[in-house]
Amino acid sequence: MRHRALLAAGASGWTPASHANKYAWFPFDDTSKIAHVAGVVTQVDDSSGNGRHISCGSGSAAYAPITATRTVNGLNVLDYNNNLLLLDIADLAQPFTLYAVAKFDTVGAAEADLFGWHDVNLSCLFQKSGKWGMYQGSTDKFASGASDTSLHLFAAVFNGSNSAIYVDGASTAISDTGTLALKLLLIGAGSGSAPITLGQPRVGMDGAFCEAFVASSADDATAVATFRTYAQSKWGTP
């Protein structure tokens, strides 16, 4: 059954901290949660209260996104250029939902990932061939409409044959038999050499990553609309 967020869309004061099934939350405007060396991110602490921090152990600008150099709607964001942060997850089985507020600087034929499956060297939410897509163990599936370089709220619901991609609240149903579970989640980059290691990203995004959120539920349209209202107010998404 799809999960409905506790508060209706537009409810005053709602943040992802109010989500009944919050798993991990990274609002990159909260610089108190970001550890860095001269702007090169080494760790971002989890704002959900669950202690699921993300890190890039190399501390090198070649391997990690940059903080304190770019803003969206007046708020700090992470600047990605084929970099990655890694969230260590014991094993999060479907259903789950991945949210991202982000803006790609470049889109086109080449694949570029918002989230990737570290353990199986695959992408799970990405831009490819001028479209937004998702993968969960069967074949690439795409949302209707073309990808672009505008700011968006993305939500990918991973729930087997009842999956969906939402872009700014507009949904595309995804029928797929794939049932991959999350073990290690790459944020801002996807598949790489086998096995991928920190410092070896491939097909990473080039752009601004504003916020990432993981829910351990298959969020329905009402829950996504709640998050969308929050993102519109905070980040200025459509």
Side-chain angles (χ1 to χ4, degrees), residues 197-234:
T197 60
L198 286 175
Q200 292 182 329
R202 184 173 71 85
V203 299
M205 73 170 294
D206 175 18
F209 212 131
C210 307
E211 190 155 347
F213 181 76
V214 181
S216 57
S217 53
D219 283 4
D220 66 4
T222 300
V224 174
T226 301
F227 203 111
R228 183 187 180 198
T229 298
Y230 161 78
Q232 287 172 321
S233 176
K234 178 178 180 180

Side-chain angles (χ1 to χ4, degrees), residues 141-161:
K141 303 291 185 178
F142 294 96
S144 58
S147 59
D148 57 42
T149 56
S150 298
L151 180 69
H152 294 291
L153 167 66
F154 302 92
V157 181
F158 290 83
N159 190 26
S161 60

Side-chain angles (χ1 to χ4, degrees), residues 81-120:
N81 183 16
N82 194 29
N83 313 116
L84 65 84
L85 288 168
L86 185 144
L87 175 60
D88 191 350
I89 297 174
D91 201 346
L92 179 60
Q94 294 189 33
F96 56 85
T97 304
L98 302 178
Y99 289 89
V101 179
K103 177 186 182 300
F104 282 74
D105 290 340
T106 57
V107 296
E111 184 173 326
D113 294 349
L114 286 164
F115 296 103
W117 312 85
H118 180 284
D119 60 310
V120 291

